[in-house]
Amino acid sequence: MKLNSIQMLRAVAALLVVYTHSVSQMGIFALGWQQRTPARISLGTFGVDLFFVISGFIIYLSAGRLSGSTASFSFLWHRFRRINPAYYAAVLLTVLTWIPSLIRHRRPPITGWQALSWTILLPFPGDPPRALFQAWSLYFEWLFYLVFFLLILIRSQRKALMLCCVLCGLSLTGWLLRNDLNGLAVFYTDPLMLEFLLGIIIGAAYRRWTPCRTTACCLLLPGIALGLFFICSGYFDFLATLNPSPSLRYLHAICWGGAAALIVAGCVFLEKTNGFVSHPTFVRRLTFVPRLARILLLLGDASYSIYLFHMIVFGWIAAFYLRVGFFLDADIAIPLHAAIAVAGSLLFYFWVEKPLLKWLGKYDAAGAIPPRSEQP
């Protein structure tokens, strides 16, 4: 099963993240009007919220009925195969770009503790610097996968209910002990995990319910309106605040996650009711935007590569400007750099990620294989 609406939402989420990082990078060289708006950070924040809700939806839809030890380890292998090899390749390319700085002693040497933390996508004591700083979201992805793995292993038949209890329980613990928690405990009780739960709720509803198009639109349109409001205003954006308070993180998960959930729910229910890009050949029928639809589907397929690789491209662009001097208008350079980063990430997708997935697919463990569209 491959949901076209989910692929297109992944493309939108990835582009939002890339654009935010392009705006941030431009602060090294020049200032433009785009860097003076809340959206300079909030675009990428909302992109991550969309990714989390989509991940909860897809994982529940594809693996919600798995049960037993064989299926649980098969699930874990497929998650590792989908996430880690491409991540390791991006880390390796990043470290290779550091070699000149390491030789000239302009960058601290890489420690074994750092290298180990890059290998295991979960937070480490001491929070060693990440090779890919955007990998912080993958920590939450892997925490969610491990909880889901345990539910499959113990043969839980009510995974949605159990996940609700576990994730809400962790978040509630974090709230009750908010003044006493520190270090790793803060991560494991982070309310951002509730955004995965919102995706799970959508997945459970998707299995049992087929609403009319009007109902789907009544979910989608308010979600878009709320998303635009939060992006433009920056309200409750925890990534835009240094050392955000616990209450801000909870408000963010509820408000921003809720807006992302409405958008995801509206899109998948419209597709289910044949009201939106549901037919396999829908691109040929959308005569007014066929190229845009094809591009969005391609970017959706490559969204993980875009998320991983775009900052490497930005690093190369920055190195170029530091050598030759910056010579563009800031507000023109921001979309230009974003386009270059997406193009470079597509090369990573075709030359690295797809071949890795194809090669590792030969070693698939027995059991149900998640759908091709299942991406973080």
Side-chain angles (χ1 to χ4, degrees), residues 127-206:
D127 193 23
R130 293 182 289 266
L132 301 176
F133 86 91
Q134 70 269 30
W136 68 268
S137 64
L138 300 182
Y139 295 176
F140 289 99
E141 293 277 351
W142 260 111
L143 177 58
F144 173 60
Y145 299 155
L146 290 174
V147 173
F148 210 98
F149 159 78
L150 291 175
L151 293 180
I152 298 173
L153 184 64
I154 65 174
R155 301 179 183 274
S156 172
Q157 299 301 312
R158 297 179 177 272
K159 293 185 180 66
L161 179 60
M162 290 295 293
L163 285 163
C164 182
C165 293
V166 171
L167 298 181
C168 288
L170 288 172
S171 296
L172 180 60
T173 300
W175 175 256
L176 294 175
L177 303 177
R178 59 189 180 276
N179 296 323
D180 301 317
L181 294 177
N182 54 53
L184 297 181
V186 174
F187 168 78
Y188 288 105
T189 59
D190 198 300
L192 284 181
M193 293 298 295
L194 296 175
E195 296 184 349
F196 293 98
L197 179 59
L198 293 172
I200 292 164
I201 294 171
I202 297 169
Y206 184 88

Side-chain angles (χ1 to χ4, degrees), residues 49-330:
D49 296 324
L50 280 172
F51 274 130
F52 284 174
V53 174
I54 289 171
S55 185
F57 170 77
I58 289 296
I59 293 296
Y60 180 80
L61 207 62
S62 62
R65 292 174 178 167
L66 298 182
S67 180
S69 59
T70 301
S72 65
F73 285 101
S74 176
F75 168 80
L76 205 61
W77 159 250
H78 284 96
R79 289 294 80 213
F80 177 89
R81 178 173 70 94
R82 183 66 192 87
I83 300 295
N84 289 51
Y87 164 77
Y88 294 151
V91 168
L92 178 60
L93 287 172
T94 300
V95 172
L96 289 175
T97 64
W98 291 352
I99 290 177
S101 296
L102 291 170
I103 292 174
R104 297 169 186 168
H105 303 290
R106 294 179 180 175
R107 181 183 294 273
I110 300 170
T111 66
W113 190 245
Q114 276 182 282
L116 184 61
S117 71
W118 300 343
T119 303
I120 301 174
L121 281 170
L122 286 171
F124 266 51
D127 193 23
R130 293 182 289 266
L132 301 176
F133 86 91
Q134 70 269 30
W136 68 268
S137 64
L138 300 182
Y139 295 176
F140 289 99
E141 293 277 351
W142 260 111
L143 177 58
F144 173 60
Y145 299 155
L146 290 174
V147 173
F148 210 98
F149 159 78
L150 291 175
L151 293 180
I152 298 173
L153 184 64
I154 65 174
R155 301 179 183 274
S156 172
Q157 299 301 312
R158 297 179 177 272
K159 293 185 180 66
L161 179 60
M162 290 295 293
L163 285 163
C164 182
C165 293
V166 171
L167 298 181
C168 288
L170 288 172
S171 296
L172 180 60
T173 300
W175 175 256
L176 294 175
L177 303 177
R178 59 189 180 276
N179 296 323
D180 301 317
L181 294 177
N182 54 53
L184 297 181
V186 174
F187 168 78
Y188 288 105
T189 59
D190 198 300
L192 284 181
M193 293 298 295
L194 296 175
E195 296 184 349
F196 293 98
L197 179 59
L198 293 172
I200 292 164
I201 294 171
I202 297 169
Y206 184 88
R207 278 185 175 173
R208 298 170 175 81
W209 181 43
T210 302
C212 64
R213 296 184 186 181
T214 302
T215 302
C217 288
C218 287
L219 294 171
L220 177 61
L221 296 179
I224 293 174
L226 283 172
L228 290 174
F229 170 75
F230 289 130
I231 288 171
C232 294
S233 65
Y235 286 154
F236 311 137
D237 185 355
F238 78 101
L239 288 179
T241 305
L242 291 176
N243 299 318
S245 64
S247 60
L248 184 63
R249 298 182 76 92
Y250 281 86
L251 286 170
H252 179 95
I254 294 169
C255 297
W256 291 59
L262 288 173
I263 292 173
V264 173
C267 286
V268 297
F269 284 131
L270 273 177
E271 181 166 358
K272 190 176 183 181
T273 58
N274 296 320
F276 176 65
V277 299
S278 59
H279 195 277
T281 59
F282 83 98
V283 172
R284 292 196 293 272
R285 295 188 288 121
L286 293 177
T287 55
F288 57 98
V289 285
R291 292 183 180 178
L292 176 61
R294 292 192 187 97
I295 291 171
L296 285 176
L297 286 177
L298 172 62
L299 295 178
D301 290 339
S303 58
Y304 185 45
S305 286
I306 294 172
Y307 189 78
L308 286 178
F309 195 72
H310 72 278
M311 288 302 298
I312 300 175
V313 178
F314 285 151
W316 295 341
I317 292 173
F320 171 76
Y321 286 135
L322 290 173
R323 180 172 293 272
V324 304
F326 183 72
F327 52 86
L328 294 173
D329 177 79

